[in-house]
Amino acid sequence: MKLSELKSTWNALEEEKAPKDTSAILGLERLPKTHSRSTLAKIKRSLLFKLWFAGTTLLISSTILTGSFIRPAKFTFFESFLDLTDNRILLVTMVIFLVIILIGNARAFKEIRSFQTKADTIKVSLAHFIGIMERTIRLNIFTNTAFNTLVVGWIGFLIGQRTGIFGEVEPLMVPLALGGLGALLFYRLAQYGQQLKFGRYLDQLKSNLKTLKEDGH
Amino acid sequence: MDSILLAHCNDYDQLKYQWQALDNKQLEKEFYNRIMENLGIIRKVCRMYCDDGEHRKDLFQEILLQLWKSYPTFRGQSQFSTLMYRVALNVSIQDMRKTKRERGFFIRTNTFKEPCAETETDTSKERLKTLRRAISGLNKVEKAIVLLHLEEKSNAEIAEIMGITPNHVRVKMNRIKKKLTKTIKDRYHETF
């Protein structure tokens, strides 16, 4: 069998198998309301959820933080462990973290939305897509690491205050030390998780792009 | 049409909304007509990238959806078929779902051949198996180039879709041809 025969086989296959489609069978009318099941669409939905969650938490945190300045007595919580200053430090840390998360996720979301409406060449689109994937992976690693580090740091601080197991150690040193150790551990874990989830897929995409870039073009 | 709309719309926003709705309907109609005219392109791309029916159906739907999303940016500078090829191939290349081969379930096509019982159907079946086998040995980008070549697109047209130079297309195509010829030869030796 020669290559030219492959071509005729291909054409014959298409003529033979082509069904008589109608727009109704294809569901074209429902198309504007259909949800995509592509990788990017899934990432976009997850970003949207994070945006919603971070936005709501930011609103609550900012309200409490503002309240702690207007009516300190009403807006202080964990009174047994945290005084007013601790409360404010916790809230400011949360607000800063949430703002960074919101900006990062909003940018990624906007970029994916704009990418989905483009019809670039395969090479441009693939390079852009890989860029988006890499930035999203970095954002996920940062979010997971920062969030878990914050939680561990504050839990350590609260345990230290409640049980006194850290003895005479400066109270702020506990969350800092635990946070530092946690950051290293969570960074590795987040990296591993993202590698497991997208690593092979990303490698395949890069290899496809490399095929297009070979020979110095 | 203006007077009808103005009669029903009291403020500018409402009027704008009505116009957008009209535009969308117009756009949908135009889009459907173009899709129906060029449906073969999506079908061929799906056939090139998917072994199983369900995956093919999903990919088909995904391509249609992405075409719908990118259609408003189509300004007519190039042919609609070029946009279709670009979108369809991009969706297929970026598709995360693994093929049977990638999942490790790839079963070598049956090499048994009944002696002296060759009919025209047997020959075409055999050719089809060879074609599938040969194509399955290519990566996603190579599949895209082969598909466009099988569709008798010129090197310049392939270059416009792929985003590389026509010279690079020629080089790539030569390599792919060598790869395909080797697969076909191997298959020939296995069969006979």
Side-chain angles (χ1 to χ4, degrees):
Chain A
M1 190 181 183
K2 289 173 186 170
L3 277 173
S4 56
E5 285 175 289
L6 275 186
K7 201 175 263 187
S8 61
T9 309
W10 173 259
N11 290 335
L13 175 76
E14 282 315 311
E15 279 161 25
E16 185 192 322
K17 299 266 171 99
K20 283 176 184 168
D21 304 292
T22 64
S23 64
I25 291 172
L26 294 170
L28 282 178
E29 281 76 13
R30 296 188 302 272
L31 211 54
K33 288 169 190 165
T34 311
H35 287 291
S36 170
R37 288 159 74 182
S38 69
T39 316
L40 267 193
K42 284 175 192 162
I43 291 174
K44 206 172 95 178
R45 280 195 283 272
S46 137
L47 286 174
L48 198 64
F49 173 75
K50 281 182 192 168
L51 276 173
W52 173 83
F53 184 75
T56 313
T57 319
L58 179 65
L59 195 73
I60 296 168
S61 309
S62 323
T63 311
I64 300 173
L65 183 63
T66 315
S68 75
F69 284 101
I70 301 167
R71 284 188 181 176
K74 230 179 172 183
F75 287 92
T76 306
F77 49 94
F78 297 128
E79 289 94 343
S80 47
F81 321 117
L82 306 173
D83 59 22
L84 187 61
T85 316
D86 292 338
N87 259 305
R88 283 175 184 163
I89 293 172
L90 171 68
L91 288 165
V92 167
T93 323
M94 273 181 72
V95 167
I96 293 172
F97 169 73
L98 288 167
V99 167
I100 295 171
I101 296 295
L102 267 175
I103 293 171
N105 280 284
R107 281 174 70 177
F109 183 82
K110 212 175 145 190
E111 193 178 9
I112 293 173
R113 202 171 56 178
S114 134
F115 175 77
Q116 283 181 321
T117 59
K118 283 181 182 162
D120 285 325
T121 64
I122 310 298
K123 191 178 172 184
V124 169
S125 179
L126 205 49
H128 195 173
F129 184 71
I130 291 170
I132 290 177
M133 287 294 293
E134 282 178 336
R135 282 190 287 281
T136 310
I137 289 171
R138 276 202 296 272
L139 183 68
N140 285 345
I141 292 174
F142 166 76
T143 311
N144 293 352
T145 308
F147 180 75
N148 290 325
T149 305
L150 262 178
V151 170
V152 165
W154 277 99
I155 287 175
F157 179 74
L158 290 177
I159 291 173
Q161 292 287 309
R162 182 179 234 180
T163 60
I165 55 166
F166 301 112
E168 293 301 309
V169 180
E170 176 65 34
L172 265 178
M173 285 306 287
V174 177
L176 283 177
L178 275 174
L181 281 173
L184 280 174
L185 178 73
F186 292 124
Y187 178 76
R188 285 280 167 215
L189 277 175
Q191 219 177 18
Y192 178 70
Q194 293 296 307
Q195 175 66 25
L196 215 62
K197 203 172 174 185
F198 299 115
R200 216 173 145 206
Y201 174 55
L202 200 59
D203 287 345
Q204 275 174 8
L205 292 173
K206 282 180 181 171
S207 146
N208 285 329
L209 185 62
K210 200 181 159 201
T211 311
L212 284 170
K213 279 181 175 171
E214 273 170 17
D215 312 318
H217 287 84
Chain B
M1 185 63 76
D2 287 28
S3 57
I4 298 167
L5 278 174
L6 283 168
H8 292 286
C9 305
N10 293 325
D11 63 343
Y12 174 75
D13 284 340
Q14 209 179 340
L15 182 67
K16 200 174 147 192
Y17 177 77
Q18 293 271 15
W19 270 117
Q20 268 174 355
L22 269 179
D23 281 352
N24 282 346
K25 280 277 165 228
Q26 186 69 28
L27 199 73
E28 272 177 34
K29 203 179 164 191
E30 195 185 286
F31 175 74
Y32 299 156
N33 289 339
R34 284 184 192 266
I35 289 289
M36 295 308 287
E37 280 167 20
N38 297 281
L39 208 56
I41 293 175
I42 311 178
R43 217 184 283 121
K44 283 169 188 171
V45 172
C46 291
R47 193 169 293 285
M48 179 62 85
Y49 285 94
C50 305
D51 326 326
D52 64 289
E54 203 185 323
H55 186 190
R56 201 176 295 157
K57 213 170 127 186
D58 285 348
L59 187 65
F60 193 97
Q61 194 66 23
E62 198 57 50
I63 292 171
L64 276 180
L65 191 60
Q66 288 312 315
L67 275 166
W68 167 247
K69 281 183 182 171
S70 53
Y71 186 64
T73 62
F74 177 64
R75 298 274 178 269
Q77 297 102 323
S78 52
Q79 284 184 327
F80 183 67
S81 60
T82 306
L83 172 102
M84 282 190 83
Y85 276 117
R86 279 185 181 179
V87 173
L89 291 172
N90 273 326
V91 172
S92 307
I93 291 171
Q94 290 157 16
D95 183 29
M96 200 180 183
R97 197 160 144 173
K98 292 180 177 78
T99 61
K100 280 181 185 173
R101 187 167 168 264
E102 284 162 346
R103 288 199 301 264
F105 297 129
F106 182 63
I107 302 161
R108 285 162 74 96
T109 43
N110 188 11
T111 54
F112 175 76
K113 189 172 179 287
E114 205 170 302
C116 307
E118 191 182 273
T119 62
E120 224 177 273
T121 325
D122 289 335
T123 315
S124 59
K125 272 183 185 172
E126 191 59 39
R127 280 180 179 174
L128 192 61
K129 278 179 189 171
T130 311
L131 174 70
R132 284 201 173 128
R133 176 90 183 269
I135 286 171
S136 70
L138 303 174
N139 72 29
K140 285 183 169 183
V141 168
E142 289 170 337
K143 279 182 186 177
I145 296 173
V146 164
L147 172 91
L148 296 168
H149 180 76
L150 288 171
E151 289 298 301
E152 295 180 347
K153 297 276 172 200
S154 67
N155 283 356
E157 284 171 306
I158 298 176
E160 195 193 344
I161 294 165
M162 299 300 293
I164 53 179
T165 61
N167 193 37
H168 195 194
V169 173
R170 192 179 48 77
V171 174
K172 288 255 81 130
M173 202 51 226
N174 282 340
R175 282 188 196 158
I176 294 168
K177 272 180 187 169
K178 276 182 194 163
K179 218 170 171 178
L180 286 174
T181 310
K182 191 181 175 298
T183 317
I184 293 167
K185 270 184 188 167
D186 289 349
R187 169 118 181 105
Y188 181 84
H189 288 308
E190 273 175 25
T191 314
F192 297 99

